[in-house]
Amino acid sequence: MLFQEYSLLLVSASEPFNKWLLSLFSHDLEKARVTVKNGINAARRVLSERIFDLIIINAPLPDGFGTRLAADTCLNSEAGVMFLVPCELYDEICAKTLSSGVIVIAKPIDTRTLEQDLNILRAVRERLRGQEAKRVRVEEKIEEIRLVNRAKWLLIERLGMKEADAHRYIEKQAMNQRVSRRKIAESVLQTYK
C-alpha cells in the first residue's frame, strides 16, 4: 500500500482502532502526511485550514455520529471519504450519504477488507484528482479566451482594427514571439488600457 503521495485525515476517537490502522501501514505512513483528530469539531477546524486527499471517519464520535461531516466533506472537497459505521446502521447511513459520494464501510472490518477498501478510496481520489486537473485546464482556457477577447476589443477601439484583423494580429504576434496568446493579450491590455 503506497500512501506517501497522500495526505490522510483520520477522524476517530477509538485509540485501539487508530493504533491498528496506523500500524497496518506504518512503513508507508512514515512518509505520508497523517493527521488524527478525535471529533467532528476538531476535524472541521483542520479541514478549514488544510486540504486532505483521503479522509477516514470512524463513527461514532464523541461530539456526534459523523454523517454530516462525511457528506459535507465529500461535497466540498476533492478528498476521497471513507465512513466506517456499525454494521447495524450500514443501510441507513448508505441511504443518507450515497448521493454525496461517501464510501460507507460496515464494521467490524478485517485487515484484508480494509486494505481493499483503502485501494478503492485511493482510486476514487485519483479519479477526482484527474477531474480537478481537467476543470483547472478548462478554467484557464476560458480565462485566456476572455483576455484575448478583451484585447481584441481594445485593438478595435483604439486602433480601428476589424475584429478579424485584431484576432489575426494577436495570433501572429503569439506565433512570432513564441509565446501564448494570453501573453500577447496581457501585453495589449497593458499597452492600450
Side-chain angles (χ1 to χ4, degrees):
M1 184 82 45
L2 298 172
F3 276 95
Q4 46 269 44
E5 69 262 20
Y6 299 101
S7 57
L8 171 67
L9 172 61
L10 173 58
V11 185
S12 172
S14 170
E15 199 56 42
F17 174 82
N18 298 352
K19 286 181 182 175
W20 173 67
L21 178 71
L22 296 174
S23 72
L24 288 177
F25 310 106
S26 59
H27 59 285
D28 290 324
L29 291 172
E30 287 173 8
K31 297 176 186 164
R33 297 158 294 176
V34 180
T35 302
V36 180
K37 295 296 175 187
N38 67 357
I40 295 168
N41 293 329
R44 286 196 188 279
R45 272 192 300 278
V46 76
L47 284 166
S48 71
E49 298 166 358
R50 292 183 41 208
I51 295 172
F52 291 91
D53 297 310
L54 308 174
I55 299 169
I56 300 172
I57 303 168
N58 182 26
L61 297 160
D63 51 353
F65 194 77
T67 307
R68 186 83 261 146
L69 173 66
D72 289 349
T73 303
C74 268
L75 292 172
N76 298 316
S77 76
E78 282 81 35
V81 178
M82 181 186 296
F83 191 31
L84 302 165
V85 301
C87 185
E88 63 274 8
L89 297 174
Y90 175 81
D91 291 332
E92 176 187 339
I93 300 301
C94 258
K96 288 181 180 177
T97 61
L98 183 65
S99 63
S100 302
V102 176
I103 298 171
V104 181
I105 309 296
K107 298 187 296 186
I109 189 168
D110 62 56
T111 303
R112 183 68 185 139
T113 304
L114 181 63
E115 288 175 347
Q116 291 169 348
D117 293 337
L118 286 169
N119 280 332
I120 291 168
L121 188 64
R122 289 173 52 220
V124 166
R125 175 59 185 129
E126 289 308 313
R127 184 164 188 252
L128 291 170
R129 192 176 279 172
Q131 294 298 318
E132 174 65 11
K134 285 180 188 174
R135 185 187 63 76
V136 167
R137 284 193 301 271
V138 167
E139 286 177 1
E140 288 172 350
K141 189 66 176 170
I142 289 170
E143 181 59 25
E144 178 181 307
I145 290 167
R146 285 184 181 141
L147 283 171
V148 168
N149 283 336
R150 284 179 32 218
K152 281 194 314 190
W153 288 110
L154 267 176
L155 290 171
I156 291 166
E157 273 180 22
R158 301 288 168 93
L159 301 180
M161 289 184 175
K162 293 183 180 178
E163 185 177 357
D165 294 334
H167 183 77
R168 235 185 334 273
Y169 172 81
I170 292 170
E171 293 280 333
K172 187 169 170 66
Q173 290 299 314
M175 192 172 60
N176 289 345
Q177 295 179 31
R178 290 180 167 73
V179 296
S180 68
R181 293 179 331 140
R182 179 186 189 110
K183 289 274 188 210
I184 298 301
E186 288 170 345
S187 175
V188 167
L189 289 169
Q190 189 174 23
T191 303
Y192 293 105
K193 248 190 171 178

